[in-house]
């Protein structure tokens, strides 16, 4: 009982210090970001080119028309322009993060003296929270992304103060759930057990990055994976509506993610984590498309076949829409740059229905108490 009381007192003092920091940040006329970098982990929602520099990976977007809207050339991002991580960097006023493998090459060949001081992007398209997900595609698993980061920290190749004064972005799990419905191997786990196995891996990942110095962590929910155009590739999947069974697993996983966020103050003193409700944000776009100037929230702008989901954008036979900004989906799996921008705005300055307990704009301006 005494231990519980001590933990509750510590939690109250921690939350009080956070409240004072938030109040100060809101009322300071010359407030600047406390956070100076971003470390990014996940899959193709965040990948900025790691797979391009991984010659063993067949999950690629390093060919036209990827990147055509903003960069005007393919960067390895699986959209026509910037991702959520890119927009958050721009909102913070810092340079976009380099893919880890690009930075590693430049450090090794001497063209870059040190690893970047604005953070690093470790995300790998096609990866999942389960190590076996899409292993045959040569992707970098979440566990390997963590090892890459851990090596840099332990070898003092990135400054520990930078780690503490950065925000960590995490989004992964879509590929695990989509793969569950591919009828190749017999399923060994029921949906609930499979999701719990995923959450166990996320919890281990979070525990480790906290130990390595992370103090501000943003965990983004999965979007409605059952609504992506690529569901047309799965036999027996509904085309006129989203795949309910898939979205049910997504929702269960997302609830588990939010529970991990809610448990952070009691498990990790001095750490603040937030939950970005991306699923709800995207479903709001789909429910009221005209409000967000979307003319199509079902099909891919770039692809071919049913829903534009039968062929990857840029592959032989693909077709490109003339107005990507009016499409929720750029290709068969991924949102368009404009959709990413709208999501980013909701996460950056949105209310608690979009991100909680704090939005990212508040999070990057908080001076956390020393522990």
């Amino acid at each position: 009982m005494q231990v519980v009381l001590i933990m509750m007192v510590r939690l109250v003092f921690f939350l009080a210090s956070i409240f004072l920091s938030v109040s100060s940040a809101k009322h300071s006329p010359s407030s600047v970001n406390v956070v100076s970098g971003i470390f990014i982990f996940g899959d193709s929602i965040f990948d900025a080119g790691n797979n391009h520099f991984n010659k063993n990976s067949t999950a690629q977007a390093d060919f036209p028309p990827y990147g055509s809207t903003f960069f005007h050339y393919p960067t390895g991002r699986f959209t026509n322009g910037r991702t959520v991580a890119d927009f958050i960097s721009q909102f913070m006023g810092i340079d976009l993060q380099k893919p880890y493998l690009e930075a590693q090459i430049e450090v090794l060949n001497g063209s870059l003296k040190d690893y970047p001081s604005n953070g690093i992007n470790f995300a790998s398209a096609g990866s999942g929270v389960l190590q076996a997900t899409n292993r045959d595609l040569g992707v970098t698993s979440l566990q390997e992304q963590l090892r890459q980061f851990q090596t840099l920290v332990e070898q003092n190749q990135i400054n520990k103060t930078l780690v503490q004064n950065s925000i960590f972005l995490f989004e992964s799990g879509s590929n695990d759930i989509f793969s569950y419905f591919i009828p190749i191997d017999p399923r060994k786990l029921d949906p609930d057990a499979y999701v719990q196995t995923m959450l166990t891996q996320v919890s281990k990942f979070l525990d480790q990055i906290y130990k390595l110095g992370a103090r501000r962590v943003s965990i983004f929910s999965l979007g409605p994976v059952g609504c992506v155009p690529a569901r047309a590739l799965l036999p027996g999947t509904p085309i006129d509506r989203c795949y309910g069974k898939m979205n049910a697993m997504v929702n269960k996983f997302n609830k588990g993610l939010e529970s991990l966020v809610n448990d952070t103050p009691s498990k990790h003193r001095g750490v603040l984590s937030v939950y970005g409700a991306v699923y709800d944000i995207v479903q709001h776009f789909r429910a009221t498309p005209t409000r967000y100037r979307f003319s199509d929230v079902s099909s891919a702008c770039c692809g071919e076949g049913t829903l534009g989901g039968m062929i990857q954008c840029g592959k032989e036979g693909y077709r490109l829409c003339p107005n990507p900004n009016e499409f929720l989906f750029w290709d068969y799996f991924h949102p368009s740059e404009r959709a990413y921008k709208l999501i980013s705005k909701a996460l950056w300055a949105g209310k608690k229905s979009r991100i909680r307990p704090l939005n990212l704009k508040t999070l990057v301006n908080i001076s956390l108490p020393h522990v």
Side-chain angles (χ1 to χ4, degrees), residues 105-347:
I105 291 169
E106 292 178 350
V107 169
L108 290 175
N109 68 22
S111 61
L112 195 66
K113 183 180 178 182
D114 299 304
Y115 280 90
S117 60
N118 66 320
I120 300 172
N121 189 325
F122 295 90
S124 172
S127 67
V129 301
L130 302 178
Q131 197 154 357
T133 296
N134 289 334
R135 182 184 294 167
D136 57 320
L137 301 182
V139 302
T140 305
S141 68
L142 179 65
Q143 291 75 14
E144 181 58 29
Q145 293 174 39
L146 175 61
R147 282 190 286 270
Q148 291 169 344
F149 173 68
Q150 182 173 355
T151 298
L152 294 183
V153 173
E154 292 178 347
Q155 294 182 354
N156 295 314
Q157 292 184 285
I158 50 177
N159 190 292
K160 289 184 172 63
T161 301
L162 170 64
V163 173
Q164 292 186 345
N165 291 334
S166 291
I167 185 172
F168 285 69
L169 304 183
F170 169 84
E171 185 282 334
S172 187
S174 297
N175 293 309
D176 304 283
I177 291 178
F178 193 88
S179 296
Y180 183 83
F181 289 88
I182 297 175
I184 299 176
D185 298 322
R187 299 168 185 166
K188 296 180 175 62
L189 296 172
D190 64 47
D192 287 352
Y194 187 81
V195 168
Q196 190 54 54
T197 302
M198 291 172 61
L199 289 168
T200 297
Q201 291 303 312
V202 175
S203 180
K204 289 179 179 179
F205 167 81
L206 294 174
D207 286 345
Q208 194 60 32
I209 63 168
Y210 295 144
K211 289 178 182 177
L212 292 168
R215 301 187 68 200
R216 299 171 182 84
V217 179
S218 181
I219 299 172
F220 295 160
S221 82
L222 302 184
V225 184
C227 301
V228 299
R231 72 183 187 277
L233 293 167
L234 301 175
T237 304
I239 301 303
D240 58 343
R241 62 188 184 281
C242 297
Y243 193 6
K245 289 183 179 179
M246 190 177 288
N247 278 346
M249 286 183 71
V250 169
N251 278 314
K252 188 171 185 64
F253 180 68
N254 288 343
K255 287 179 181 177
L257 291 180
E258 186 163 16
S259 292
L260 292 176
V261 169
N262 293 338
D263 291 344
T264 300
S266 60
K267 286 185 64 179
H268 301 282
R269 188 180 172 211
V271 172
L272 186 59
S273 64
V274 300
Y275 172 79
V278 175
Y279 185 100
D280 297 335
I281 295 169
V282 173
Q283 290 294 58
H284 196 62
F285 298 162
R286 295 185 66 257
T288 56
T290 55
R291 177 178 177 182
Y292 298 96
R293 302 197 309 276
F294 287 122
S295 63
D296 193 316
V297 293
S298 300
S299 301
C301 167
C302 184
E304 181 55 284
T306 305
L307 299 176
M310 305 298 289
I311 295 176
Q312 183 184 1
C313 177
K315 297 292 187 180
E316 184 177 356
Y318 82 93
R319 294 185 182 184
L320 179 64
C321 74
N323 49 348
N325 284 340
E326 294 183 13
F327 277 67
L328 174 61
F329 293 104
W330 163 250
D331 70 2
Y332 58 176
F333 275 106
H334 309 99
S336 63
E337 183 193 54
R338 184 165 172 275
Y340 277 139
K341 185 174 185 178
L342 292 171
I343 294 168
S344 302
K345 285 182 175 181
L347 296 171

Side-chain angles (χ1 to χ4, degrees), residues 7-23:
M7 289 181 65
M8 290 180 65
V9 170
R10 285 178 175 175
L11 177 59
V12 168
F13 276 107
F14 176 64
L15 293 176
S17 63
I18 291 296
F19 174 77
L20 291 173
S21 296
V22 171
S23 299

Side-chain angles (χ1 to χ4, degrees), residues 21-161:
S21 296
V22 171
S23 299
S24 175
K26 284 182 177 178
H27 294 96
S28 174
S30 58
S31 176
V32 295
N33 294 340
V34 174
V35 169
S36 55
I38 305 178
F39 290 94
I40 303 155
F41 300 85
D43 54 28
S44 54
I45 297 297
F46 282 156
D47 191 346
N50 274 308
N51 280 19
H52 168 69
F53 291 95
N54 176 3
K55 300 309 177 185
N56 293 322
S57 177
T58 56
Q60 297 290 353
D62 53 0
F63 44 82
Y66 285 103
S68 56
T69 299
F70 179 77
F71 300 100
H72 306 299
Y73 63 91
T75 63
R77 290 169 173 81
F78 284 71
T79 187
N80 56 317
R82 292 158 289 184
T83 67
V84 169
D86 296 327
F87 280 112
I88 298 304
S89 295
Q90 292 184 329
F91 295 162
M92 288 173 57
I94 63 176
D95 292 338
L96 307 188
Q97 288 67 42
K98 282 182 178 287
Y100 164 72
L101 292 179
E102 180 184 13
Q104 182 187 52
I105 291 169
E106 292 178 350
V107 169
L108 290 175
N109 68 22
S111 61
L112 195 66
K113 183 180 178 182
D114 299 304
Y115 280 90
S117 60
N118 66 320
I120 300 172
N121 189 325
F122 295 90
S124 172
S127 67
V129 301
L130 302 178
Q131 197 154 357
T133 296
N134 289 334
R135 182 184 294 167
D136 57 320
L137 301 182
V139 302
T140 305
S141 68
L142 179 65
Q143 291 75 14
E144 181 58 29
Q145 293 174 39
L146 175 61
R147 282 190 286 270
Q148 291 169 344
F149 173 68
Q150 182 173 355
T151 298
L152 294 183
V153 173
E154 292 178 347
Q155 294 182 354
N156 295 314
Q157 292 184 285
I158 50 177
N159 190 292
K160 289 184 172 63
T161 301

